[in-house]
Amino acid sequence: MTPDQDSRSQEPGDPPPSADRTSSAEQHDAALVASLRSGLHGGREVADRAFGAVSRLSGTMVLAVLALIAVTMVGRSVDAIRWMGTDFWVWRRWAPPEQYYGILSFVFGTLYTAVIALLLAVPISLGIALFVTQIAPVWLRRVMVYVIDLLAVIPSVVVGLWGLLVLAPNITGFYGWLSDTFDGWPVLGSIFGSNPQGRSFLTAGIVLAIMITPIIVSLSREVIETTPQSEKEAALALGATKWEMIRGSVIPHSKGGLVGAIMLGLGRAMGETIAVALTIGSALGQITLNALASGNSMPAVITAEWGEADALKKSALIGMAMTLFVITIVVNTTATAIVQRSQKRTRGAV
Amino acid sequence: MAIEHPTSQIGSLVSPFPHSKEDHVDADISVDVTSAPASVDGQAPAATVFELQGLEVHYGPFRAVRDVDMHIRKNEITAFIGPSGCGKTTVLRCLNRMNDVIPTARVGGRVLYHGIDLYGPEVSATELRRRVGMVFQRPNPFPKSIYDNVAFGPKVNGVRSKSDLDDIVEKSLRGAALWDEVKTRLKSSALGMSGGQQQRLCIARAIAVEPEVILMDEPCSALDPIATARIEDLMQEMKDTYTLIIVTHNMQQAARVSDRTAFFTTEVNPESDRRTGTLVEFARTRKIFSNPADERTEQYVTGRFG
Ligand SMILES: Nc1ncnc2c1ncn2[C@@H]1O[C@H](COP(=O)(O)OP(=O)(O)O)[C@@H](O)[C@H]1O
Ligand SMILES: [Mg+2]
């Protein structure tokens, strides 16, 4: 900075430039630097640093708890897995009296019921979420949101008992009709197979769908509501109908979040214990496309058989829990990756 | 469908766009043949596209605009100017019934489009909006690819064939002076473009459905001067094909680009002390800026507006 510029930048009240203006400018600079130095190193960052430390600590603690759970589960399941080898995962035979523990049919039951639940819940939930956010008048929106949030807090044992006592006995007629109608069809014939049971994969799937619908609805409602008005108007201004506006603006905008909402629902469905235990029929070794057959799921088996288990069986049950844990982590990681990729694409970062 | 549009039918969407720079088709092809249009300086009156009669808009109990009467002519650029809050956007959004989206908005008076009352019972807002396109204040491309942004309108209006869509996309992007900048990255996200490019994309998206009229609500207010100049040039080129109505708070812009200018202002309601907008003067742009009839117009255009 030249002295000339410096004097121009002085405040009107400053002393007029004189012969020693260079040195006064230097003094001024020195004072400025000093005040900057104290100002820039002020104490206000202490709070920031404390906050940083606390969040790092809690982050580490969560990881530590996760690691501890993992270590414990591996440690306590190692006996059964050593005993069975990879047969533990690839065989469906579960025969505790013979100390034979193959969990494949339970893995299948968990995944199959969760998939059925998603197939039923996703279209309904997204439909409700879109209706509530885009179409319903305000009063109806309030009522529906209230009712759906109420559904979310019904304890799962209540839904499970309803499935067991009301749904299972009354739905067999419908199942029989499904089974007869689709007899001989490709794919559908195997899904709606013979000998339908009231307590079955499909019944458990329906019960799970009822449980995850409120979750998916409320999460996707939040995501959908983030669509900016300007983007919706952009579609309408091109002559789009409301539905075309939803397809053109709302869904692309919310895609990532909707996948996240669905995946959270899936996680919930795979982990659900009691409602499935009550409605799936507790049949061992079932791996079949027939959704009308009884089966079993991992969490249901764990709670049902823990009580009278010997050490090896307990170890096998813990191995099953660990397997469920790994599957849910894989599902969630995949979901996160999908969400991030789609967000990057739409945000223009790629 | 309630409106019989004089020039373009759905079928014309699939026909080659008549006004790409290469073919340089005479602009008259797209012009209503039943009423001879004339330039501003010509003698014969140009066809009227919109006629507003005593237009009045309420938001809930609040009267935002009252007593707007005007004729908007074909193939001209009409500018709306006036202080902020005087209802320029509100009036503009009556012309494609975009105010329908706002639950509290109520429109009184009449808005005639080629003589048809837009707020009449059997007019379809979606059909109207295909003929009266809109470009918004902030560029609002969809979070999709450049191609999909432009193809959206034709798709919802029934164009299915890939090659037709390709043609429409190219021609619309050329029409918006954007093709050369984006032709190698049509599949990349529109959100990666600059603000000026995004706004030209929004113009391309609007012309892809071959509207007759394009409404622009302060289309340059979020852009830098260079991007603004490009869009102003573009408006001049578009004028042969489309009827443009632009809202601007920039008087130089109105003076530079428009043929006619409508000056709005607000007046305090004695009862409620809220301000209601109204049309003060509507005339040739040259007249508005050099020799306005109303004193308030003169004060505004000379910058002495209180
Ligand atoms: N959606 C709305 N709800 C209520 N009042 C509104 C709404 N939009 C605009 N207004 C009011 O209507 C008046 C005119 O607004 P607007 O048309 O946006 O003016 P301009 O575009 O000239 O700045 C303003 O007083 C504004 O506050
Ligand atoms: Mg405005």
Side-chain angles (χ1 to χ4, degrees):
Chain A
M1 186 191 270
T2 68
D4 204 347
Q5 283 171 329
D6 193 288
S7 69
R8 246 190 280 129
S9 72
Q10 277 177 344
E11 299 294 321
D14 282 356
S18 61
D20 63 352
R21 66 184 179 188
T22 316
S23 71
S24 91
E26 268 168 8
Q27 274 165 18
H28 178 77
D29 284 354
L32 179 70
V33 168
S35 86
L36 264 183
R37 186 163 285 149
S38 66
L40 288 177
H41 295 263
R44 283 188 305 152
E45 298 93 338
V46 171
D48 270 6
R49 261 182 255 137
F51 176 72
V54 170
S55 29
R56 260 196 304 278
L57 186 70
S58 13
T60 321
M61 260 165 57
V62 170
L63 282 182
V65 168
L66 266 181
L68 208 66
I69 292 176
V71 167
T72 315
M73 291 211 309
V74 171
R76 298 197 51 187
S77 61
V78 81
D79 284 347
I81 292 169
R82 275 227 187 91
W83 172 255
M84 292 297 298
T86 50
D87 287 0
F88 184 67
W89 290 288
V90 300
W91 288 103
R92 67 166 79 174
R93 212 162 85 83
W94 177 263
E98 303 159 37
Q99 301 206 314
Y100 194 92
Y101 303 105
I103 66 167
L104 186 62
S105 74
F106 310 138
V107 175
F108 171 80
T110 296
L111 295 178
Y112 198 34
T113 49
V115 166
I116 293 172
L118 277 192
L119 288 178
L120 297 174
V122 167
I124 293 176
S125 310
L126 296 187
I128 293 176
L130 286 171
F131 178 77
V132 164
T133 53
Q134 311 294 323
I135 296 167
V138 177
W139 66 269
L140 184 58
R141 172 180 320 184
R142 289 219 190 92
V143 172
M144 288 185 71
V145 167
Y146 183 78
V147 169
I148 289 162
D149 287 351
L150 213 62
L151 257 183
V153 299
I154 298 178
S156 54
V157 66
V158 173
V159 186
L161 282 173
W162 173 81
L164 174 69
L165 301 173
V166 180
L167 184 64
N170 289 308
I171 205 168
T172 41
F174 175 61
Y175 284 179
W177 177 84
L178 281 178
S179 172
D180 294 343
T181 308
F182 294 106
D183 190 26
W185 287 42
V187 188
L188 285 181
S190 354
I191 291 177
F192 303 116
S194 55
N195 192 16
Q197 301 294 311
R199 294 164 67 196
S200 62
F201 290 117
L202 184 52
T203 307
I206 293 172
V207 166
L208 283 175
I210 293 170
M211 296 174 62
I212 65 177
T213 293
I215 301 171
I216 302 181
V217 169
S218 67
L219 289 172
S220 35
R221 195 163 53 83
E222 275 167 32
V223 174
I224 287 169
E225 275 171 354
T226 61
T227 311
Q229 183 68 19
S230 69
E231 254 170 53
K232 296 201 263 173
E233 290 189 354
L236 294 176
L238 291 164
T241 59
K242 208 153 199 175
W243 168 239
E244 288 159 347
M245 179 270 284
I246 289 171
R247 262 190 12 203
S249 311
V250 176
I251 291 178
H253 190 91
S254 338
K255 216 166 24 188
L258 293 180
V259 173
I262 291 167
M263 288 300 166
L264 273 172
L266 178 61
R268 174 81 202 275
M270 290 197 309
E272 175 52 38
T273 307
I274 187 69
V276 175
L278 290 171
T279 51
I280 197 171
S282 311
L284 295 183
Q286 283 276 46
I287 300 184
T288 166
L289 260 189
N290 184 357
L292 307 179
S294 298
N296 221 333
S297 81
M298 289 188 277
V301 172
I302 295 169
T303 44
E305 303 208 3
W306 184 263
E308 51 225 62
D310 59 21
L312 185 62
K313 187 171 169 190
K314 277 191 170 139
S315 168
L317 293 173
I318 293 170
M320 197 141 73
M322 190 183 68
T323 308
L324 180 62
F325 185 51
V326 170
I327 293 175
T328 42
I329 287 179
V330 168
V331 166
N332 270 306
T333 322
T334 317
T336 315
I338 293 173
V339 171
Q340 277 172 354
R341 229 188 52 202
S342 93
Q343 271 170 353
K344 257 196 206 145
R345 225 185 5 241
T346 53
R347 294 291 142 248
V350 186
Chain B
M1 194 182 80
I3 303 172
E4 266 313 313
H5 189 264
T7 57
S8 68
Q9 256 83 52
I10 301 276
S12 70
L13 274 179
V14 293
S15 74
F17 197 71
H19 301 288
S20 80
K21 278 184 209 149
E22 281 119 26
D23 338 332
H24 244 297
V25 184
D26 191 327
D28 280 0
I29 279 185
S30 77
V31 160
D32 188 349
V33 285
T34 57
S35 48
S39 73
V40 172
D41 301 313
Q43 301 309 308
T48 296
V49 177
F50 283 108
E51 184 179 348
L52 310 186
Q53 297 175 345
L55 180 71
E56 178 171 273
V57 184
H58 284 81
Y59 291 111
F62 167 54
R63 183 162 70 165
V65 198
R66 65 170 174 83
D67 296 331
V68 179
D69 291 274
M70 64 201 295
H71 288 251
I72 290 168
R73 289 167 177 77
K74 197 171 176 67
N75 293 94
E76 286 190 1
I77 301 182
T78 303
F80 290 0
I81 63 170
S84 104
C86 66
K88 305 179 295 291
T89 299
T90 300
V91 172
L92 193 75
R93 288 167 62 101
C94 290
L95 303 181
N96 64 346
R97 285 194 32 188
M98 213 56 194
N99 283 331
D100 291 13
V101 174
I102 300 167
T104 56
R106 263 185 309 124
V107 177
R110 304 223 300 163
V111 182
L112 303 180
Y113 173 61
H114 294 288
I116 297 161
D117 185 352
L118 290 185
Y119 288 85
E122 72 271 33
V123 171
S124 142
T126 56
E127 289 298 332
L128 169 67
R129 292 178 192 140
R130 199 183 65 65
R131 293 167 169 84
V132 182
M134 187 163 208
V135 174
F136 296 80
Q137 189 163 356
R138 301 219 142 256
N140 57 354
F142 301 123
K144 299 179 177 202
S145 71
I146 294 169
Y147 183 98
D148 288 337
N149 262 276
V150 182
F152 180 84
K155 273 188 192 158
V156 303
N157 287 292
V159 182
R160 288 280 169 270
S161 129
K162 173 91 175 73
S163 67
D164 288 342
L165 284 173
D166 287 351
D167 288 348
I168 293 172
V169 168
E170 175 172 349
K171 277 164 181 162
S172 307
L173 287 168
R174 283 188 194 281
L178 193 57
W179 174 252
D180 291 330
E181 288 159 66
V182 301
K183 63 184 173 200
T184 57
R185 53 183 179 113
L186 291 176
K187 293 290 172 203
S188 61
S189 169
L191 302 181
M193 308 165 88
S194 73
Q197 287 175 324
Q198 289 188 6
Q199 195 63 305
R200 275 180 285 142
L201 179 66
C202 292
I203 293 174
R205 186 174 64 182
I207 63 186
V209 295
E210 297 197 320
E212 179 193 15
V213 183
I214 298 178
L215 313 174
M216 299 188 177
D217 189 358
E218 303 197 22
C220 303
S221 66
L223 305 184
D224 63 55
I226 295 174
T228 299
R230 297 203 63 160
I231 294 204
E232 287 181 8
D233 290 346
L234 184 56
M235 289 176 193
Q236 292 304 331
E237 292 169 25
M238 289 167 68
K239 178 175 133 174
D240 293 339
T241 319
Y242 309 99
T243 303
L244 296 183
I245 305 171
I246 62 168
V247 169
T248 175
H249 60 217
N250 176 339
M251 278 183 282
Q252 285 76 35
Q253 181 168 63
R256 278 191 303 263
V257 303
S258 71
D259 302 305
R260 279 172 212 271
T261 298
F263 170 63
F264 293 79
T265 192
T266 56
E267 282 164 355
V268 180
N269 310 355
E271 329 85 71
S272 68
D273 82 38
R274 287 203 65 175
R275 297 181 149 265
T276 293
T278 190
L279 177 65
V280 174
E281 188 170 354
F282 179 45
R284 296 229 165 106
T285 297
R286 212 181 321 115
K287 179 162 185 323
I288 290 277
F289 283 92
S290 60
N291 182 23
D294 195 291
E295 197 185 334
R296 290 167 295 176
T297 315
E298 170 152 26
Q299 285 178 344
Y300 187 77
V301 300
T302 54
R304 280 186 284 120
F305 186 80

